[in-house]
Amino acid sequence: MARFEILDPTVEPRKQPLTYVPRPDSLKGKRIGLVENTKFNSDRLLLKIGDILKQEYGASETRMWRKHNSSVPAHDEIIDEARRGVDAVVAGIGD
Amino acid sequence: MPAMTTELASARHAVDDLSQAIELCFEKGWTDGLPVVPPTAPQVHAMLQAAELDPQQQVTFITNRQVAVTAEKVAINAVMAGCKPEYMPVVVAAIEAIGDPKWGYHGPGTSTAGAAVLMIVNGPMAERLGFNSGDNLFGPGWRANATVGRAVRLVMRNVIGSLPGRLDRGTLGHPGKFTYVIAENEADSPWTPLHVERGFDAEQSALTVMAAEAPHQFYNQLSGTAAGIVTTLCDDMRISGNVVGQPHYAVVLAGEHMRTIAADGWTKADIRKFVFEHTQNTVAHLKRTERLAGPVKAEDERALRPLVGTPEDILVVAAGGRAGAFSAYIPGWASRRASEAVTKLIRDRRT
């Protein structure tokens, strides 16, 4: 029987390097950004986490942003403001 | 820009015979659970030629996945699904549509709510290519409906990475995830076709995608009036989907219901307006049933919450068998911010 070839229907996802900023050694005095994804209770969950970071880890303040919806990345305005205004970010889902 | 080439870039796998090829596709995880047509180079070339596409042309780019979907990969998956080459322009339109930022691939492609891609074909190509708009509308038996939807799902799986249990996290999913393609019965419909309502000419062919639950059938075999039938539809629809807000609903009106509603002079716009107004729930009911949070206040008894944002968010389609007093509604997925129905031109290569 003659051999024949079939074509691969899959692709490898495009690879791109990701560089993480160094994690802070301590949250003492740090400004924390909270990015909530619009799902029910995600704001409450993140505010609670923010309170813990302030009360137990010494973070100085928290600020929350809301994404356009849960299925998309944080939009440019959030990224720009976070870059300028906070030292670390917590993103989460409450559903 | 590099010169276009007709060479196929995909990796090749050698097998001894057809049955080995079919088994290899299973072993590699390339199928939807059913056997596929093993994709060979001549078949893939025929698919590309039918749509006049070069292999490396990008059909769409899925930002969240950083995946460029090329014509070659669409063609390979269309062969596997069992498409005829002449279906390729329809598959391409569907892939363009689910790659449109308004459809928002990542949400409906991934969500636990288990949406499928409902595809509605309009225009002259629907009939010419043999898309079913009649009997057994959502059922098996028509190659165009069965294979075009299957091709789209295979692209989602094999190219975009929507593997069940991994990046397709549907809790239940539904059978429409195998294929979910209908055509509008424009020949018998008394109404404006969907694609014309959405900005295309009647002579053009177009495909509309909507992130969608399974179809819900409703009955009214007694009523001889538009108000009776559409009120029955509204009673069934009122508690459906996410209840507290959907981006869209599709309402699919089959032969008997279609003729009865039209005989009373109702247009699609009349149907949309009536459905929008008669499917609203009180905030009090939604709170009592714990779909909305908080205590029931006096004003909640009068405050109404619609299923969709506007009447225009309800897509009305004339399709289904001539006999039988049954029609269907289909809830959309999530919210308008997360996914909107998108209509794309099907490029007719014969004109």
Side-chain angles (χ1 to χ4, degrees), chain A residues 1-11 13-14 16 38-40 66-73 95, chain B residues 8 10-18 30 38-40 44 66 73 76-77 80 106-107 158-159 333 337-338:
Chain A
M1 184 87 57
R3 288 167 66 82
F4 66 95
E5 289 181 330
I6 62 171
L7 293 159
D8 192 317
T10 67
V11 296
R14 194 165 78 178
Q16 57 182 6
T38 74
K39 291 223 172 188
F40 189 62
R66 185 175 171 85
K67 295 203 307 179
H68 287 318
N69 70 68
S70 59
S71 300
V72 295
D95 195 9
Chain B
L8 302 175
S10 297
R12 293 169 186 245
H13 301 265
V15 289
D16 286 333
D17 56 30
L18 183 63
W30 295 341
T40 61
V44 173
Q66 290 292 293
K73 294 299 179 184
I76 293 171
N77 283 281
M80 293 169 69
H106 180 65
N158 290 331
V159 186
W333 170 86
R337 287 177 308 172

